[in-house]
Amino acid sequence: MNETATNSPTDPLPPKPAPADSGASAAPEAAAPAPDEQLAAARREAAAHHERYLRAVADLENFRKRTVREKDELRQFAAGRVIEDLLPVLDNLALGLNAAKAPNADLTTLVGGISMVETQLKSALTGHGLKEINPAGQTFDPNQHEAVSQQASAEVPEGNVIVVVRTGYSLNGRLLRPAAVVVSSGPAAQA
């Protein structure tokens, strides 16, 4: 007996539906766009992505150029505040030189004036983070001091600074120049 897809009145089960073709339907043109339309849509999407990519690259390049320009400007004008604070010192030095050239210049007055200008200069530089390193009598610190020689001393303990040959400086905690010092080697050895 041949079995058919139709049910006879004596069959208890309904007929099995035909297996569905994946992606296929009764009207293939209505459900999926034509390949030409898909290709055109993909090209439009690719063009939009490419345009966004080009804009991002241009924005990044503009940002890089602006950052370089701002760094250069900052580097050029960073010392502006310091120089503004030093201009009065230069003015006072010029006044001191003019006073020294006068025929009746008083040496004591000139020394006092130069001392005041030095104080003014140190004050201006301290205001910008400069700190003197003058370790006379302190323990030698190789991170802050440069030993130029050793000298025997009965008064200054071994390893301490006897004389500061050249003052050192740090800027906001960073060493600019170590202090050049003479270090005690302790009491002289008895021969």
Side-chain angles (χ1 to χ4, degrees):
M1 177 170 188
N2 251 350
E3 287 186 296
T4 60
T6 60
N7 283 345
S8 66
T10 58
D11 280 343
L13 298 174
K16 293 182 182 177
D21 208 15
S22 64
S25 63
E29 291 86 26
D36 290 341
E37 292 174 9
Q38 288 178 342
L39 182 61
R43 284 185 176 156
R44 283 191 301 273
E45 186 178 348
H49 289 304
H50 185 70
E51 178 69 24
R52 284 187 11 216
Y53 163 76
L54 291 177
R55 286 181 188 270
V57 168
D59 287 345
L60 181 62
E61 183 64 20
N62 289 338
F63 175 75
R64 188 190 66 75
K65 287 178 182 177
R66 185 176 64 246
T67 303
V68 167
R69 186 177 60 246
E70 288 172 356
K71 276 184 175 180
D72 286 342
E73 288 175 4
L74 183 63
R75 194 175 305 121
Q76 287 176 351
F77 300 110
R81 264 189 50 223
V82 176
I83 291 173
E84 286 175 14
D85 289 347
L86 294 179
L87 290 177
V89 176
L90 285 175
D91 295 339
N92 290 334
L93 279 174
L95 290 173
L97 283 173
N98 287 336
K101 292 175 184 175
N104 57 354
D106 179 30
L107 186 59
T108 307
T109 307
L110 289 174
V111 170
I114 291 174
S115 177
M116 289 188 332
V117 171
E118 179 189 29
T119 302
Q120 184 183 23
L121 176 62
K122 285 181 180 182
S123 175
L125 293 175
T126 299
H128 291 282
L130 189 71
K131 182 180 174 188
E132 279 189 7
I133 301 172
N134 192 349
Q138 298 176 6
T139 304
F140 175 75
D141 178 3
N143 297 316
Q144 299 284 316
H145 315 143
E146 176 185 2
V148 293
S149 69
Q150 281 191 325
Q151 182 177 332
S153 173
E155 296 83 32
V156 180
E158 182 179 354
N160 282 14
V161 175
I162 298 174
V163 176
V164 177
V165 178
R166 184 187 70 210
T167 304
Y169 293 95
S170 66
L171 181 63
N172 296 320
R174 181 178 171 199
L175 184 67
L176 292 178
R177 179 176 83 181
V181 298
V182 176
V183 180
S184 171
S185 60
Q190 300 291 348

